Amino acid sequence: MRYIRPQSIEEAAGLLASAAGPAAILAGGSDLLVRMKGGFIEPELIVDIKAIAGLSEIKETAEGFSIGAAVPCAVLGENAALKKAWPGVVEAAKLIGSKQVQGRCTIVGNLCNASPAADSVPALVAAGAEAVVAGPNGRRTIPVEAVPTGPGRTSLAKGEIIEAILLDKRAPNAGDAYQRFIPRTEMDIAVVSAGVNLMLDEAGAIKSARVALGAAAPTVLLVEEAAEVLVGSKLDEATLERLAKICAGACRPIDDKRGTIEFRRKVAGVLAKRVATTAYERAGGK
């Protein structure tokens, strides 16, 4: 096994592209090291990206925020501007693992691990976040929801690395939120989760919306029909009930020891209502 700590994204991409055997990226390592210890993977090459300039930084620009691939989730929670602009994204990131894990884990690692139950991904999808992908052929920017293609699988080609996550500048009268259901009070994975992002018009009605569900299908579901129901409303009870029904119907869950299909569909609707209400209040709705 080789361990290399490159100094540039180009060097890292080149190493991954030229690797003869299995290769892995090390940022936080909270997923990678567990999988290695469990014998699920045996990489021939480990590329540690933490020394690459800019990848451990959160940058605020006129367009919004750029979150480097090696930024720990604990650091997201310490960034006042990001917490104010995108509280739903931050609260989702803060649910990944324990406090010790928070100091290492990253939202990019959470995304690339491609678990259907990943906490940060539904919130990022609802927020309309984008991923900056760097590779042997240059850079491209894609929606976050285009990265996972199934449990444990992504759309990234050999040699490609997600360099950063981009979030737009928060518009006035907008808000987001995220919640999950777990069997225990903490340190568990989502049975179902929901993220909602809303923008209101001057009259307080919902102008635009994005609704995402996690652990309800092989990948995060962006439920466009649910968003359409919200647009034009002031989140009255009838609208919330329609939202719950649509979200429950959109789910494609499985039966397992953590929950039945029927249970997951029911909880998806309940969470969607709760999260939409929180996002609406954060956007200034009354």
Side-chain angles (χ1 to χ4, degrees):
M1 183 184 295
R2 293 184 298 150
Y3 167 87
I4 302 179
R5 191 177 172 91
Q7 301 300 305
S8 71
I9 198 76
E10 290 78 15
E11 182 186 358
L15 287 165
L16 292 167
S18 62
I25 297 170
L26 174 63
S30 55
D31 285 316
L32 174 62
L33 297 180
V34 170
R35 293 171 67 196
M36 288 174 61
K37 187 173 182 179
F40 298 105
I41 57 171
E42 293 184 9
E44 178 270 332
L45 170 68
I46 294 177
V47 178
D48 186 343
I49 63 172
K50 292 191 289 297
I52 298 174
L55 265 59
S56 296
E57 299 177 6
I58 299 174
K59 300 175 184 176
E60 184 176 5
T61 67
E63 290 76 34
F65 294 88
S66 174
I67 303 170
V71 175
C73 289
V75 175
L76 299 185
E78 295 168 356
N79 189 296
L82 183 63
K83 283 177 66 176
K84 182 178 180 180
W86 293 102
V89 170
V90 173
E91 64 194 1
K94 290 178 71 176
L95 289 172
I96 302 171
S98 63
K99 288 190 179 297
Q100 295 91 334
V101 170
Q102 282 280 303
R104 303 296 296 177
C105 67
T106 68
I107 57 172
V108 171
N110 196 227
L111 173 63
C112 291
N113 192 47
S115 166
D119 278 308
S120 67
V121 183
L124 289 170
V125 171
E130 294 182 315
V132 180
V133 181
N137 298 317
R139 287 174 172 79
R140 59 193 178 101
T141 302
I142 60 175
V144 161
E145 58 266 31
V147 176
T149 58
R153 302 193 305 273
T154 74
S155 62
L156 301 179
K158 185 175 181 179
E160 288 191 323
I161 303 170
I162 293 182
E163 186 176 13
I165 297 294
L166 304 180
L167 290 165
D168 288 340
K169 182 179 180 180
R170 173 58 88 188
N173 301 322
D176 71 321
Y178 172 83
Q179 286 188 28
R180 67 179 182 180
F181 174 83
I182 58 175
R184 301 184 294 175
T185 57
E186 60 180 330
M187 289 183 65
D188 209 334
I189 60 174
V191 176
V192 185
S193 62
V196 174
N197 181 33
L198 305 172
M199 183 186 301
L200 311 184
D201 60 22
E202 294 180 356
I206 297 171
K207 183 179 179 180
S208 64
R210 286 173 68 92
V211 179
L213 300 175
T219 59
V220 170
L221 294 173
L222 181 62
V223 190
E224 295 182 358
E225 187 181 355
E228 292 170 1
V229 164
L230 295 176
V231 173
S233 78
K234 291 189 177 181
L235 219 60
D236 55 275
E237 190 58 36
T239 298
L240 287 171
E241 289 300 325
R242 290 175 64 197
L243 171 68
K245 184 176 181 180
I246 290 169
C247 286
C251 292
R252 304 194 304 274
I254 59 172
D255 273 317
D256 63 16
K257 63 183 179 181
R258 298 173 56 75
T260 63
I261 291 173
E262 182 181 6
F263 177 75
R264 283 188 161 103
R265 285 178 172 160
K266 174 68 174 179
V267 174
V270 172
L271 287 181
K273 289 171 61 176
R274 292 178 181 176
V275 174
T277 301
T278 300
Y280 184 69
E281 292 171 352
R282 288 174 174 173
K286 299 179 181 179

